[in-house]
Amino acid sequence: ITLDDDILAYILRLVRATRTNSEISFGASTRAADALASATRAMAALNGRDFAIPDDVKRLYVPALRHRIVLGPTAEIEGRNSVQILENILDQIEAPR
């Protein structure tokens, strides 16, 4: 399954954003990016394609990373959870076309 350079760059931007977000103490690792890329390939295959699309990444981003980040104290005090923060990051990072 082919991952276009734009899709790979998108995955990397999304994972890096977890390491620069002020609400996250410990962001996702490079292994998380690799896991997201592998899951994206699998999603494309399950949908009968030999290439991945940005929607594959979007669909898998939260489930693949929600357990791979550690929230900061501010986020916990405010009652925010990892799903909300990751969805916010996903909304902020523009997907390739």
Side-chain angles (χ1 to χ4, degrees):
I1 305 298
T2 302
L3 282 185
D4 185 75
D5 288 344
D6 291 338
I7 299 291
L8 285 173
Y10 182 50
I11 290 171
L12 291 176
R13 284 194 309 272
L14 288 169
V15 171
R16 282 186 191 133
T18 67
R19 294 194 294 262
T20 59
N21 188 295
S22 62
E23 295 184 290
I24 300 173
S25 289
F26 297 100
S29 69
T30 54
R31 288 190 315 179
D34 188 41
L36 181 55
S38 294
T40 300
R41 283 185 181 97
M43 178 65 69
L46 289 171
N47 286 303
R49 288 181 270 109
D50 62 352
F51 59 92
I53 58 174
D55 286 345
D56 295 332
V57 179
K58 290 177 183 180
R59 186 170 178 196
L60 295 165
Y61 179 66
V62 173
L65 271 70
R66 67 178 169 218
H67 67 285
R68 296 177 184 267
I69 63 172
V70 176
L71 299 183
T74 305
E76 290 182 357
I77 289 170
E78 292 176 357
R80 294 178 45 89
N81 61 40
S82 59
V83 171
Q84 293 169 322
I85 293 169
L86 290 171
E87 286 175 347
N88 186 39
I89 290 171
L90 192 58
D91 290 341
Q92 293 176 3
I93 307 285
E94 186 175 346
R97 294 181 185 230

